[in-house]
PDB file of all heavy atoms in Angstrom:
ATOM      1  N   ARG A 767     -10.448  10.365  22.071  1.00 98.00           N
ATOM      2  CA  ARG A 767     -11.506  10.853  21.182  1.00 98.00           C
ATOM      3  C   ARG A 767     -11.949   9.834  20.159  1.00 98.00           C
ATOM      4  O   ARG A 767     -13.141   9.794  19.757  1.00 98.00           O
ATOM      5  CB  ARG A 767     -11.047  12.112  20.413  1.00 98.00           C
ATOM      6  CG  ARG A 767     -10.995  13.373  21.240  1.00 98.00           C
ATOM      7  CD  ARG A 767     -10.582  14.576  20.409  1.00 98.00           C
ATOM      8  NE  ARG A 767     -11.571  14.965  19.401  1.00 98.00           N
ATOM      9  CZ  ARG A 767     -12.024  16.193  19.251  1.00 98.00           C
ATOM     10  NH1 ARG A 767     -11.569  17.188  20.016  1.00 98.00           N
ATOM     11  NH2 ARG A 767     -12.878  16.499  18.289  1.00 98.00           N
ATOM     12  N   TYR A 768     -11.032   8.965  19.711  1.00 98.00           N
ATOM     13  CA  TYR A 768     -11.358   8.093  18.569  1.00 98.00           C
ATOM     14  C   TYR A 768     -11.058   6.632  18.858  1.00 98.00           C
ATOM     15  O   TYR A 768     -10.487   5.929  18.036  1.00 98.00           O
ATOM     16  CB  TYR A 768     -10.552   8.565  17.328  1.00 98.00           C
ATOM     17  CG  TYR A 768     -10.714  10.033  17.031  1.00 98.00           C
ATOM     18  CD1 TYR A 768      -9.640  10.930  17.134  1.00 98.00           C
ATOM     19  CD2 TYR A 768     -11.945  10.524  16.638  1.00 98.00           C
ATOM     20  CE1 TYR A 768      -9.799  12.260  16.859  1.00 98.00           C
ATOM     21  CE2 TYR A 768     -12.112  11.895  16.342  1.00 98.00           C
ATOM     22  CZ  TYR A 768     -11.030  12.743  16.460  1.00 98.00           C
ATOM     23  OH  TYR A 768     -11.168  14.080  16.187  1.00 98.00           O
ATOM     24  N   SER A 769     -11.425   6.180  20.046  1.00 95.00           N
ATOM     25  CA  SER A 769     -11.079   4.810  20.449  1.00 95.00           C
ATOM     26  C   SER A 769     -11.752   3.754  19.562  1.00 95.00           C
ATOM     27  O   SER A 769     -11.146   2.712  19.309  1.00 95.00           O
ATOM     28  CB  SER A 769     -11.489   4.584  21.909  1.00 95.00           C
ATOM     29  OG  SER A 769     -12.875   4.805  22.074  1.00 95.00           O
ATOM     30  N   ALA A 770     -12.923   4.030  19.047  1.00 94.00           N
ATOM     31  CA  ALA A 770     -13.635   3.015  18.263  1.00 94.00           C
ATOM     32  C   ALA A 770     -13.033   2.865  16.852  1.00 94.00           C
ATOM     33  O   ALA A 770     -12.969   1.746  16.334  1.00 94.00           O
ATOM     34  CB  ALA A 770     -15.131   3.376  18.147  1.00 94.00           C
ATOM     35  N   ARG A 771     -12.575   3.958  16.262  1.00 96.00           N
ATOM     36  CA  ARG A 771     -12.036   3.901  14.879  1.00 96.00           C
ATOM     37  C   ARG A 771     -10.902   4.938  14.808  1.00 96.00           C
ATOM     38  O   ARG A 771     -11.090   6.021  14.269  1.00 96.00           O
ATOM     39  CB  ARG A 771     -13.146   4.181  13.864  1.00 96.00           C
ATOM     40  CG  ARG A 771     -12.753   3.858  12.413  1.00 96.00           C
ATOM     41  CD  ARG A 771     -13.903   4.150  11.474  1.00 96.00           C
ATOM     42  NE  ARG A 771     -14.949   3.174  11.567  1.00 96.00           N
ATOM     43  CZ  ARG A 771     -15.204   2.240  10.648  1.00 96.00           C
ATOM     44  NH1 ARG A 771     -14.499   2.185   9.560  1.00 96.00           N
ATOM     45  NH2 ARG A 771     -16.203   1.385  10.793  1.00 96.00           N
ATOM     46  N   PRO A 772      -9.742   4.594  15.325  1.00 98.00           N
ATOM     47  CA  PRO A 772      -8.685   5.589  15.416  1.00 98.00           C
ATOM     48  C   PRO A 772      -8.080   5.953  14.051  1.00 98.00           C
ATOM     49  O   PRO A 772      -7.983   5.122  13.167  1.00 98.00           O
ATOM     50  CB  PRO A 772      -7.627   4.935  16.321  1.00 98.00           C
ATOM     51  CG  PRO A 772      -7.904   3.475  16.157  1.00 98.00           C
ATOM     52  CD  PRO A 772      -9.376   3.313  15.944  1.00 98.00           C
ATOM     53  N   PRO A 773      -7.696   7.202  13.887  1.00 98.00           N
ATOM     54  CA  PRO A 773      -7.025   7.635  12.655  1.00 98.00           C
ATOM     55  C   PRO A 773      -5.596   7.077  12.601  1.00 98.00           C
ATOM     56  O   PRO A 773      -4.985   6.765  13.607  1.00 98.00           O
ATOM     57  CB  PRO A 773      -7.055   9.136  12.773  1.00 98.00           C
ATOM     58  CG  PRO A 773      -7.010   9.399  14.247  1.00 98.00           C
ATOM     59  CD  PRO A 773      -7.807   8.313  14.847  1.00 98.00           C
ATOM     60  N   LEU A 774      -5.066   7.012  11.395  1.00 98.00           N
ATOM     61  CA  LEU A 774      -3.655   6.689  11.185  1.00 98.00           C
ATOM     62  C   LEU A 774      -2.790   7.849  11.695  1.00 98.00           C
ATOM     63  O   LEU A 774      -3.060   9.023  11.352  1.00 98.00           O
ATOM     64  CB  LEU A 774      -3.388   6.446   9.717  1.00 98.00           C
ATOM     65  CG  LEU A 774      -1.925   6.085   9.333  1.00 98.00           C
ATOM     66  CD1 LEU A 774      -1.630   4.626   9.694  1.00 98.00           C
ATOM     67  CD2 LEU A 774      -1.668   6.321   7.870  1.00 98.00           C
ATOM     68  N   ILE A 775      -1.791   7.553  12.460  1.00 98.00           N
ATOM     69  CA  ILE A 775      -0.831   8.577  12.957  1.00 98.00           C
ATOM     70  C   ILE A 775       0.419   8.472  12.142  1.00 98.00           C
ATOM     71  O   ILE A 775       1.027   7.434  12.039  1.00 98.00           O
ATOM     72  CB  ILE A 775      -0.558   8.357  14.461  1.00 98.00           C
ATOM     73  CG1 ILE A 775      -1.841   8.303  15.270  1.00 98.00           C
ATOM     74  CG2 ILE A 775       0.373   9.457  14.956  1.00 98.00           C
ATOM     75  CD1 ILE A 775      -2.664   9.540  15.253  1.00 98.00           C
ATOM     76  N   ARG A 776       0.859   9.592  11.574  1.00 98.00           N
ATOM     77  CA  ARG A 776       2.053   9.567  10.733  1.00 98.00           C
ATOM     78  C   ARG A 776       3.319   9.408  11.560  1.00 98.00           C
ATOM     79  O   ARG A 776       3.591  10.232  12.452  1.00 98.00           O
ATOM     80  CB  ARG A 776       2.138  10.858   9.895  1.00 98.00           C
ATOM     81  CG  ARG A 776       3.405  10.908   9.022  1.00 98.00           C
ATOM     82  CD  ARG A 776       3.579  12.259   8.327  1.00 98.00           C
ATOM     83  NE  ARG A 776       2.576  12.430   7.285  1.00 98.00           N
ATOM     84  CZ  ARG A 776       2.562  13.471   6.463  1.00 98.00           C
ATOM     85  NH1 ARG A 776       3.482  14.439   6.572  1.00 98.00           N
ATOM     86  NH2 ARG A 776       1.602  13.580   5.542  1.00 98.00           N
ATOM     87  N   ASP A 777       4.088   8.407  11.204  1.00 98.00           N
ATOM     88  CA  ASP A 777       5.460   8.229  11.752  1.00 98.00           C
ATOM     89  C   ASP A 777       6.425   8.645  10.660  1.00 98.00           C
ATOM     90  O   ASP A 777       6.533   7.972   9.654  1.00 98.00           O
ATOM     91  CB  ASP A 777       5.662   6.767  12.161  1.00 98.00           C
ATOM     92  CG  ASP A 777       7.100   6.515  12.565  1.00 98.00           C
ATOM     93  OD1 ASP A 777       7.796   7.461  12.999  1.00 98.00           O
ATOM     94  OD2 ASP A 777       7.534   5.341  12.477  1.00 98.00           O
ATOM     95  N   PRO A 778       7.178   9.746  10.838  1.00 98.00           N
ATOM     96  CA  PRO A 778       8.035  10.251   9.783  1.00 98.00           C
ATOM     97  C   PRO A 778       9.429   9.606   9.713  1.00 98.00           C
ATOM     98  O   PRO A 778      10.423  10.291   9.469  1.00 98.00           O
ATOM     99  CB  PRO A 778       8.127  11.751  10.128  1.00 98.00           C
ATOM    100  CG  PRO A 778       8.084  11.780  11.592  1.00 98.00           C
ATOM    101  CD  PRO A 778       7.174  10.634  12.031  1.00 98.00           C
TER     102      PRO A 778
END
Side-chain angles (χ1 to χ4, degrees):
R767 286 182 67 130
Y768 307 115
S769 59
R771 193 179 286 252
L774 180 77
I775 306 298
R776 178 186 291 184
D777 173 25

